[in-house]
Short mmCIF file of all heavy atoms in Angstrom, two decimals:
data_model
loop_
_atom_site.label_atom_id
_atom_site.label_comp_id
_atom_site.label_asym_id
_atom_site.label_seq_id
_atom_site.Cartn_x
_atom_site.Cartn_y
_atom_site.Cartn_z
N MET A 4 95.91 77.04 126.56
CA MET A 4 94.56 76.58 126.26
C MET A 4 93.65 77.49 127.18
O MET A 4 93.84 77.60 128.36
CB MET A 4 94.58 75.09 126.61
CG MET A 4 93.11 74.55 126.52
SD MET A 4 93.18 72.76 126.73
CE MET A 4 92.66 72.30 125.09
N PRO A 5 92.61 78.02 126.65
CA PRO A 5 91.69 78.89 127.39
C PRO A 5 91.13 78.20 128.50
O PRO A 5 90.95 78.84 129.56
CB PRO A 5 90.65 79.24 126.26
CG PRO A 5 91.43 79.23 125.00
CD PRO A 5 92.40 78.06 125.17
N ALA A 6 90.65 77.02 128.49
CA ALA A 6 89.96 76.34 129.53
C ALA A 6 90.85 76.29 130.81
O ALA A 6 90.52 76.42 131.91
CB ALA A 6 89.45 74.96 129.17
N ARG A 7 92.20 75.88 130.39
CA ARG A 7 93.07 75.76 131.54
C ARG A 7 93.36 77.09 132.25
O ARG A 7 93.59 77.19 133.37
CB ARG A 7 94.46 75.11 131.03
CG ARG A 7 94.37 73.61 130.79
CD ARG A 7 95.62 73.02 130.55
NE ARG A 7 95.38 71.58 130.15
CZ ARG A 7 96.09 70.96 129.31
NH1 ARG A 7 97.22 71.60 128.75
NH2 ARG A 7 95.92 69.69 129.09
N ARG A 8 93.38 78.22 131.43
CA ARG A 8 93.60 79.46 132.03
C ARG A 8 92.50 79.93 132.87
O ARG A 8 92.63 80.40 134.07
CB ARG A 8 93.84 80.44 130.91
CG ARG A 8 95.14 80.34 130.21
CD ARG A 8 95.29 81.02 128.87
NE ARG A 8 95.21 82.54 129.03
CZ ARG A 8 95.30 83.41 128.09
NH1 ARG A 8 95.25 82.94 126.82
NH2 ARG A 8 95.44 84.69 128.29
N LEU A 9 91.26 79.54 132.52
CA LEU A 9 90.11 79.83 133.31
C LEU A 9 90.10 79.06 134.63
O LEU A 9 89.84 79.56 135.67
CB LEU A 9 88.79 79.69 132.54
CG LEU A 9 87.49 79.94 133.25
CD1 LEU A 9 87.53 81.30 133.87
CD2 LEU A 9 86.35 79.75 132.33
N GLN A 10 90.35 77.67 134.51
CA GLN A 10 90.45 76.84 135.64
C GLN A 10 91.54 77.30 136.67
O GLN A 10 91.40 77.32 137.84
CB GLN A 10 90.71 75.39 135.13
CG GLN A 10 89.55 74.90 134.46
CD GLN A 10 89.84 73.49 133.78
OE1 GLN A 10 90.99 73.09 133.72
NE2 GLN A 10 88.79 72.98 133.15
N ALA A 11 92.73 77.73 136.01
CA ALA A 11 93.74 78.29 136.96
C ALA A 11 93.20 79.53 137.75
O ALA A 11 93.64 79.79 138.92
CB ALA A 11 94.94 78.73 136.11
N ALA A 12 92.40 80.35 137.05
CA ALA A 12 91.97 81.55 137.76
C ALA A 12 90.90 81.15 138.86
O ALA A 12 90.68 81.93 139.83
CB ALA A 12 91.21 82.48 136.78
N LEU A 13 90.35 80.09 138.78
CA LEU A 13 89.31 79.63 139.70
C LEU A 13 89.83 78.49 140.59
O LEU A 13 89.05 77.83 141.37
CB LEU A 13 88.18 78.99 138.87
CG LEU A 13 87.33 79.97 137.95
CD1 LEU A 13 86.37 79.18 137.04
CD2 LEU A 13 86.64 81.04 138.84
N ARG A 14 91.04 78.41 140.81
CA ARG A 14 91.66 77.27 141.67
C ARG A 14 91.17 77.34 143.12
O ARG A 14 91.05 78.39 143.62
CB ARG A 14 93.18 77.45 141.68
CG ARG A 14 93.84 76.99 140.43
CD ARG A 14 95.36 77.19 140.49
NE ARG A 14 95.95 77.28 141.80
CZ ARG A 14 97.15 77.90 141.95
NH1 ARG A 14 97.78 78.29 140.90
NH2 ARG A 14 97.54 78.08 143.11
N PRO A 15 90.82 76.33 143.58
CA PRO A 15 90.13 76.19 144.95
C PRO A 15 91.18 76.57 146.14
O PRO A 15 90.82 76.97 147.19
CB PRO A 15 89.57 74.80 145.14
CG PRO A 15 90.33 74.00 144.21
CD PRO A 15 90.74 74.94 143.01
N ASP A 16 92.46 76.44 145.86
CA ASP A 16 93.53 76.73 146.75
C ASP A 16 93.76 78.19 146.88
O ASP A 16 94.64 78.71 147.67
CB ASP A 16 94.75 75.89 146.59
CG ASP A 16 95.35 76.16 145.25
OD1 ASP A 16 94.73 76.56 144.38
OD2 ASP A 16 96.62 76.07 145.17
N GLN A 17 93.19 79.07 146.08
CA GLN A 17 93.36 80.50 146.09
C GLN A 17 92.05 81.12 146.48
O GLN A 17 91.00 80.51 146.27
CB GLN A 17 93.71 80.99 144.62
CG GLN A 17 95.07 80.34 144.18
CD GLN A 17 96.22 80.86 144.91
OE1 GLN A 17 96.35 82.11 145.24
NE2 GLN A 17 97.18 80.01 145.21
N PRO A 18 92.01 82.49 146.94
CA PRO A 18 90.83 83.16 147.16
C PRO A 18 90.02 83.23 145.92
O PRO A 18 90.55 83.32 144.75
CB PRO A 18 91.32 84.59 147.71
CG PRO A 18 92.74 84.25 148.01
CD PRO A 18 93.21 83.27 147.18
N PRO A 19 88.72 83.25 145.91
CA PRO A 19 87.84 83.41 144.74
C PRO A 19 88.21 84.64 144.06
O PRO A 19 88.48 85.73 144.67
CB PRO A 19 86.40 83.46 145.34
CG PRO A 19 86.53 82.86 146.68
CD PRO A 19 87.89 83.17 147.18
N PRO A 20 88.31 84.61 142.74
CA PRO A 20 88.72 85.77 141.97
C PRO A 20 87.55 86.83 141.85
O PRO A 20 86.51 86.43 141.81
CB PRO A 20 88.96 85.20 140.59
CG PRO A 20 88.10 84.07 140.50
CD PRO A 20 88.03 83.38 141.89
N PRO A 21 87.92 88.04 141.90
CA PRO A 21 86.90 89.14 141.78
C PRO A 21 86.41 89.06 140.13
O PRO A 21 87.15 88.63 139.47
CB PRO A 21 87.62 90.46 142.02
CG PRO A 21 89.05 90.21 141.92
CD PRO A 21 89.24 88.69 142.11
N VAL A 22 85.25 89.55 139.95
CA VAL A 22 84.70 89.54 138.52
C VAL A 22 85.83 90.33 137.71
O VAL A 22 85.94 89.86 136.58
CB VAL A 22 83.31 90.29 138.53
CG1 VAL A 22 82.93 90.47 137.16
CG2 VAL A 22 82.25 89.31 139.20
N ALA A 23 86.36 91.23 138.22
CA ALA A 23 87.38 92.13 137.35
C ALA A 23 88.46 91.15 136.84
O ALA A 23 88.95 91.41 135.76
CB ALA A 23 87.92 93.29 138.11
N THR A 24 88.89 90.25 137.61
CA THR A 24 89.89 89.29 137.23
C THR A 24 89.54 88.50 135.99
O THR A 24 90.08 88.31 134.99
CB THR A 24 90.45 88.45 138.35
OG1 THR A 24 90.88 89.27 139.29
CG2 THR A 24 91.45 87.47 137.97
N LEU A 25 88.29 87.95 136.11
CA LEU A 25 87.69 87.12 135.14
C LEU A 25 87.39 87.95 133.81
O LEU A 25 87.49 87.43 132.72
CB LEU A 25 86.43 86.44 135.58
CG LEU A 25 86.75 85.41 136.72
CD1 LEU A 25 85.45 84.74 137.16
CD2 LEU A 25 87.78 84.37 136.31
N VAL A 26 86.92 89.14 134.01
CA VAL A 26 86.61 90.07 132.86
C VAL A 26 87.95 90.31 132.11
O VAL A 26 88.07 90.28 130.93
CB VAL A 26 85.99 91.38 133.39
CG1 VAL A 26 86.10 92.36 132.15
CG2 VAL A 26 84.59 91.20 133.76
N ALA A 27 89.08 90.48 132.87
CA ALA A 27 90.44 90.75 132.26
C ALA A 27 90.84 89.50 131.44
O ALA A 27 91.33 89.64 130.35
CB ALA A 27 91.46 91.11 133.35
N LEU A 28 90.55 88.32 132.02
CA LEU A 28 90.87 87.14 131.29
C LEU A 28 90.01 87.06 130.03
O LEU A 28 90.50 86.70 128.95
CB LEU A 28 90.63 85.78 132.11
CG LEU A 28 90.84 84.64 131.47
CD1 LEU A 28 92.18 84.32 130.84
CD2 LEU A 28 90.42 83.30 132.35
N ALA A 29 88.79 87.27 130.17
CA ALA A 29 87.83 87.28 128.96
C ALA A 29 88.36 88.31 127.88
O ALA A 29 88.35 87.95 126.72
CB ALA A 29 86.42 87.59 129.34
N HIS A 30 88.70 89.51 128.33
CA HIS A 30 89.34 90.43 127.41
C HIS A 30 90.55 89.92 126.62
O HIS A 30 90.80 90.20 125.53
CB HIS A 30 89.64 91.76 127.98
CG HIS A 30 88.25 92.60 128.29
ND1 HIS A 30 88.27 93.65 128.99
CD2 HIS A 30 87.08 92.33 127.98
CE1 HIS A 30 87.13 94.13 129.17
NE2 HIS A 30 86.26 93.23 128.55
N ALA A 31 91.43 89.32 127.55
CA ALA A 31 92.71 88.77 126.90
C ALA A 31 92.33 87.64 125.90
O ALA A 31 93.01 87.67 124.79
CB ALA A 31 93.56 88.22 128.07
N LEU A 32 91.50 86.76 126.26
CA LEU A 32 91.18 85.76 125.27
C LEU A 32 90.48 86.27 123.95
O LEU A 32 90.80 85.87 122.89
CB LEU A 32 90.17 84.75 125.99
CG LEU A 32 90.81 83.91 127.14
CD1 LEU A 32 89.76 83.13 127.91
CD2 LEU A 32 91.84 82.94 126.54
N ARG A 33 89.60 87.31 124.23
CA ARG A 33 89.08 88.03 123.07
C ARG A 33 90.07 88.68 122.16
O ARG A 33 90.13 88.52 121.01
CB ARG A 33 88.01 89.11 123.48
CG ARG A 33 87.45 89.81 122.33
CD ARG A 33 86.94 91.25 122.78
NE ARG A 33 88.05 92.02 123.24
CZ ARG A 33 87.98 93.11 124.08
NH1 ARG A 33 86.77 93.48 124.43
NH2 ARG A 33 89.03 93.71 124.48
N ASP A 34 91.05 89.32 122.77
CA ASP A 34 92.19 90.02 122.08
C ASP A 34 93.03 88.89 121.28
O ASP A 34 93.59 89.32 120.38
CB ASP A 34 92.93 90.80 122.91
CG ASP A 34 92.25 92.00 123.57
OD1 ASP A 34 91.11 92.37 123.09
OD2 ASP A 34 92.76 92.69 124.48
N GLU A 35 92.98 87.77 121.84
CA GLU A 35 93.73 86.63 121.16
C GLU A 35 92.92 85.99 120.12
O GLU A 35 93.42 84.90 119.39
CB GLU A 35 94.20 85.63 122.24
CG GLU A 35 95.18 86.18 123.18
CD GLU A 35 95.43 85.34 124.50
OE1 GLU A 35 94.97 84.24 124.37
OE2 GLU A 35 96.03 85.81 125.37
N GLY A 36 91.74 86.39 119.89
CA GLY A 36 90.94 85.88 118.77
C GLY A 36 89.79 85.02 119.09
O GLY A 36 88.98 84.54 118.19
N MET A 37 89.40 84.92 120.31
CA MET A 37 88.27 84.11 120.77
C MET A 37 86.95 84.97 120.60
O MET A 37 86.94 86.10 121.11
CB MET A 37 88.51 83.50 122.22
CG MET A 37 87.21 82.62 122.56
SD MET A 37 87.42 81.90 124.24
CE MET A 37 88.37 80.49 123.78
N ASN A 38 86.02 84.39 119.86
CA ASN A 38 84.84 85.27 119.66
C ASN A 38 83.93 85.22 120.98
O ASN A 38 84.07 84.35 121.82
CB ASN A 38 84.16 84.82 118.39
CG ASN A 38 83.48 83.45 118.42
OD1 ASN A 38 82.99 82.99 119.40
ND2 ASN A 38 83.53 82.80 117.30
N GLN A 39 82.84 85.94 120.92
CA GLN A 39 81.96 86.18 122.06
C GLN A 39 81.24 84.92 122.41
O GLN A 39 81.15 84.40 123.62
CB GLN A 39 80.98 87.30 121.83
CG GLN A 39 80.12 87.47 123.04
CD GLN A 39 79.17 88.72 122.80
OE1 GLN A 39 79.15 89.34 121.76
NE2 GLN A 39 78.39 89.04 123.87
N ALA A 40 80.82 84.21 121.36
CA ALA A 40 80.09 82.90 121.63
C ALA A 40 80.93 81.88 122.21
O ALA A 40 80.53 81.06 123.11
CB ALA A 40 79.51 82.36 120.26
N ALA A 41 82.18 81.80 121.75
CA ALA A 41 83.03 80.80 122.28
C ALA A 41 83.42 81.16 123.69
O ALA A 41 83.68 80.29 124.61
CB ALA A 41 84.40 80.71 121.37
N LEU A 42 83.58 82.45 123.94
CA LEU A 42 83.89 82.95 125.45
C LEU A 42 82.70 82.41 126.30
O LEU A 42 82.98 81.90 127.46
CB LEU A 42 84.10 84.40 125.43
CG LEU A 42 85.49 84.85 125.11
CD1 LEU A 42 85.42 86.41 125.00
CD2 LEU A 42 86.59 84.57 126.20
N TYR A 43 81.53 82.87 125.81
CA TYR A 43 80.36 82.43 126.64
C TYR A 43 80.32 80.94 126.93
O TYR A 43 80.02 80.42 128.08
CB TYR A 43 79.13 82.92 126.05
CG TYR A 43 77.90 82.74 127.02
CD1 TYR A 43 77.62 83.79 127.89
CD2 TYR A 43 77.06 81.72 126.84
CE1 TYR A 43 76.55 83.64 128.77
CE2 TYR A 43 75.96 81.58 127.70
CZ TYR A 43 75.67 82.66 128.69
OH TYR A 43 74.72 82.46 129.55
N ARG A 44 80.59 80.00 125.90
CA ARG A 44 80.51 78.63 126.09
C ARG A 44 81.61 78.16 127.11
O ARG A 44 81.30 77.30 127.90
CB ARG A 44 80.69 77.92 124.76
CG ARG A 44 79.46 77.88 123.94
CD ARG A 44 79.59 77.02 122.65
NE ARG A 44 80.75 77.29 121.86
CZ ARG A 44 80.70 78.14 120.84
NH1 ARG A 44 79.54 78.74 120.53
NH2 ARG A 44 81.74 78.36 120.07
N LEU A 45 82.74 78.81 127.04
CA LEU A 45 83.92 78.46 127.89
C LEU A 45 83.41 78.72 129.39
O LEU A 45 83.57 78.00 130.28
CB LEU A 45 85.08 79.20 127.55
CG LEU A 45 86.30 79.14 128.45
CD1 LEU A 45 86.86 77.64 128.49
CD2 LEU A 45 87.32 80.20 128.16
N PHE A 46 82.98 79.99 129.54
CA PHE A 46 82.59 80.37 130.97
C PHE A 46 81.29 79.46 131.40
O PHE A 46 81.24 79.11 132.65
CB PHE A 46 82.36 81.83 130.99
CG PHE A 46 83.46 82.69 131.13
CD1 PHE A 46 84.42 82.80 130.18
CD2 PHE A 46 83.92 83.27 132.32
CE1 PHE A 46 85.61 83.50 130.29
CE2 PHE A 46 84.98 83.92 132.51
CZ PHE A 46 85.90 84.10 131.39
N GLN A 47 80.36 79.26 130.60
CA GLN A 47 79.27 78.49 130.86
C GLN A 47 79.66 76.96 131.31
O GLN A 47 79.06 76.48 132.28
CB GLN A 47 78.18 78.38 129.64
CG GLN A 47 77.03 77.55 129.98
CD GLN A 47 76.17 78.14 131.21
OE1 GLN A 47 76.09 79.25 131.29
NE2 GLN A 47 75.70 77.15 131.92
N ALA A 48 80.67 76.46 130.59
CA ALA A 48 81.00 75.16 130.87
C ALA A 48 81.57 75.10 132.22
O ALA A 48 81.44 74.07 133.03
CB ALA A 48 82.09 74.68 129.85
N GLU A 49 82.50 76.10 132.55
CA GLU A 49 82.96 76.12 133.97
C GLU A 49 81.98 76.36 135.02
O GLU A 49 81.99 75.76 136.11
CB GLU A 49 84.10 77.26 134.04
CG GLU A 49 85.39 76.81 133.57
CD GLU A 49 85.99 75.60 134.14
OE1 GLU A 49 86.16 75.57 135.28
OE2 GLU A 49 86.36 74.67 133.46
N HIS A 50 80.94 77.12 134.75
CA HIS A 50 79.84 77.43 135.61
C HIS A 50 79.07 76.18 135.81
O HIS A 50 78.53 75.92 137.02
CB HIS A 50 78.97 78.48 135.05
CG HIS A 50 78.02 79.05 136.07
ND1 HIS A 50 76.70 78.59 136.18
CD2 HIS A 50 78.09 80.14 136.98
CE1 HIS A 50 76.07 79.20 137.22
NE2 HIS A 50 76.86 80.08 137.67
N ALA A 51 79.00 75.31 134.91
CA ALA A 51 78.20 74.04 135.05
C ALA A 51 78.89 73.02 135.89
O ALA A 51 78.31 72.00 136.34
CB ALA A 51 77.76 73.48 133.61
N ARG A 52 80.23 73.22 136.14
CA ARG A 52 80.88 72.17 136.97
C ARG A 52 80.29 72.21 138.42
O ARG A 52 80.09 73.17 139.00
CB ARG A 52 82.46 72.60 137.21
CG ARG A 52 83.14 72.42 135.87
CD ARG A 52 84.58 72.77 136.01
NE ARG A 52 85.22 72.54 137.28
CZ ARG A 52 86.33 73.08 137.79
NH1 ARG A 52 87.03 73.83 136.88
NH2 ARG A 52 86.80 72.74 139.00
N SER A 53 80.15 70.99 138.82
CA SER A 53 79.45 70.82 140.14
C SER A 53 80.43 71.13 141.35
O SER A 53 79.96 71.14 142.50
CB SER A 53 78.84 69.44 140.38
OG SER A 53 79.78 68.51 140.22
N ASP A 54 81.79 71.03 141.15
CA ASP A 54 82.75 71.16 142.28
C ASP A 54 83.12 72.56 142.49
O ASP A 54 83.88 72.78 143.42
CB ASP A 54 83.81 70.26 141.99
CG ASP A 54 84.67 70.79 140.73
OD1 ASP A 54 84.11 71.50 139.92
OD2 ASP A 54 85.91 70.37 140.62
N LEU A 55 82.51 73.52 141.96
CA LEU A 55 82.87 75.03 142.20
C LEU A 55 82.02 75.43 143.35
O LEU A 55 80.84 75.23 143.41
CB LEU A 55 82.66 75.85 141.10
CG LEU A 55 83.58 75.66 139.86
CD1 LEU A 55 83.19 76.63 138.61
CD2 LEU A 55 85.01 75.93 140.18
N ASP A 56 82.63 76.30 144.21
CA ASP A 56 81.98 76.82 145.42
C ASP A 56 81.14 78.08 144.92
O ASP A 56 81.26 78.60 143.91
CB ASP A 56 82.84 77.13 146.60
CG ASP A 56 83.95 78.12 146.29
OD1 ASP A 56 83.85 78.73 145.22
OD2 ASP A 56 84.95 78.20 147.02
N GLU A 57 80.25 78.47 145.80
CA GLU A 57 79.41 79.73 145.60
C GLU A 57 80.16 80.97 145.02
O GLU A 57 79.73 81.58 144.19
CB GLU A 57 78.44 79.93 146.72
CG GLU A 57 77.46 80.79 146.47
CD GLU A 57 76.40 80.32 145.42
OE1 GLU A 57 76.25 79.10 145.32
OE2 GLU A 57 75.82 81.11 144.71
N PRO A 58 81.20 81.38 145.80
CA PRO A 58 81.84 82.59 145.31
C PRO A 58 82.36 82.46 143.93
O PRO A 58 82.40 83.49 143.13
CB PRO A 58 82.95 82.84 146.38
CG PRO A 58 82.52 82.08 147.65
CD PRO A 58 81.75 80.85 147.07
N ARG A 59 82.86 81.35 143.61
CA ARG A 59 83.43 81.15 142.18
C ARG A 59 82.36 81.19 141.16
O ARG A 59 82.42 81.73 140.05
CB ARG A 59 84.35 79.93 142.13
CG ARG A 59 85.71 80.13 142.78
CD ARG A 59 86.39 78.83 143.04
NE ARG A 59 87.77 79.02 143.64
CZ ARG A 59 87.92 79.36 144.89
NH1 ARG A 59 86.91 79.46 145.72
NH2 ARG A 59 89.14 79.53 145.44
N LEU A 60 81.22 80.55 141.57
CA LEU A 60 80.12 80.43 140.70
C LEU A 60 79.52 81.84 140.43
O LEU A 60 79.02 82.31 139.37
CB LEU A 60 79.01 79.55 141.28
CG LEU A 60 79.26 78.05 141.18
CD1 LEU A 60 78.18 77.33 141.92
CD2 LEU A 60 79.39 77.58 139.73
N GLU A 61 79.51 82.66 141.47
CA GLU A 61 78.97 83.99 141.43
C GLU A 61 79.93 84.92 140.57
O GLU A 61 79.43 85.70 139.81
CB GLU A 61 78.84 84.65 142.75
CG GLU A 61 77.59 84.10 143.52
CD GLU A 61 77.59 84.63 144.98
OE1 GLU A 61 78.24 85.77 145.23
OE2 GLU A 61 76.76 84.09 145.72
N ALA A 62 81.15 84.71 140.76
CA ALA A 62 82.18 85.30 139.85
C ALA A 62 82.04 85.08 138.44
O ALA A 62 82.05 86.02 137.60
CB ALA A 62 83.63 85.13 140.37
N LEU A 63 81.78 83.80 138.19
CA LEU A 63 81.49 83.40 136.73
C LEU A 63 80.31 83.98 136.21
O LEU A 63 80.19 84.53 135.05
CB LEU A 63 81.58 81.91 136.62
CG LEU A 63 82.85 81.28 136.58
CD1 LEU A 63 82.62 79.69 136.63
CD2 LEU A 63 83.71 81.43 135.29
N ALA A 64 79.28 83.93 137.00
CA ALA A 64 77.86 84.43 136.56
C ALA A 64 78.00 85.97 136.36
O ALA A 64 77.45 86.50 135.29
CB ALA A 64 76.79 84.18 137.55
N GLY A 65 78.71 86.61 137.22
CA GLY A 65 78.86 88.10 137.05
C GLY A 65 79.72 88.48 135.84
O GLY A 65 79.24 89.45 135.07
N THR A 66 80.64 87.62 135.51
CA THR A 66 81.42 87.92 134.22
C THR A 66 80.53 87.61 133.01
O THR A 66 80.60 88.41 132.07
CB THR A 66 82.62 87.02 134.23
OG1 THR A 66 83.39 87.28 135.40
CG2 THR A 66 83.51 87.24 133.01
N MET A 67 79.70 86.60 133.08
CA MET A 67 78.99 86.23 131.97
C MET A 67 77.91 87.24 131.67
O MET A 67 77.45 87.58 130.52
CB MET A 67 78.37 84.78 132.03
CG MET A 67 79.43 83.72 132.02
SD MET A 67 78.93 82.05 132.23
CE MET A 67 77.24 81.99 132.64
N ASP A 68 77.40 87.91 132.73
CA ASP A 68 76.32 88.97 132.66
C ASP A 68 76.87 90.07 131.88
O ASP A 68 76.17 90.88 131.25
CB ASP A 68 75.91 89.35 133.97
CG ASP A 68 74.82 88.29 134.63
OD1 ASP A 68 74.41 87.36 133.89
OD2 ASP A 68 74.70 88.42 135.87
N LEU A 69 78.21 90.40 132.08
CA LEU A 69 78.80 91.50 131.30
C LEU A 69 78.94 91.19 129.90
O LEU A 69 79.08 91.99 128.99
CB LEU A 69 80.28 91.84 131.92
CG LEU A 69 80.14 92.19 133.32
CD1 LEU A 69 81.65 92.44 133.92
CD2 LEU A 69 79.44 93.65 133.56
#
């Protein structure tokens, strides 16, 4: 499930992922058939979570900007 994969990449018990890691995940999801609008909604939903710290929010925002 895409949401679980994104949440796993953003786990708080791991160092914040670099934008390149999230971009690679977005490319993998795209290659599996997810369209751009669905990818954006997925990343936006995670960005809207109130329990993410600043580095994770910045990584998500950087990925969405790409």
Side-chain angles (χ1 to χ4, degrees):
M4 173 173 248
R7 287 189 183 149
R8 290 168 68 184
L9 180 55
Q10 289 167 357
L13 297 168
R14 286 183 11 209
D16 62 333
Q17 299 293 321
V22 170
T24 299
L25 296 180
V26 168
L28 175 59
H30 286 175
L32 293 171
R33 177 204 60 202
D34 293 348
E35 294 167 13
M37 185 176 270
N38 67 40
Q39 184 177 2
L42 276 168
Y43 189 83
R44 283 191 302 270
L45 172 67
F46 279 71
Q47 179 61 37
E49 281 302 307
H50 192 270
R52 286 180 35 196
S53 62
D54 64 337
L55 293 176
D56 61 13
E57 190 65 29
R59 284 167 180 74
L60 289 173
E61 288 178 13
L63 279 169
T66 304
M67 291 180 350
D68 285 345
L69 296 174

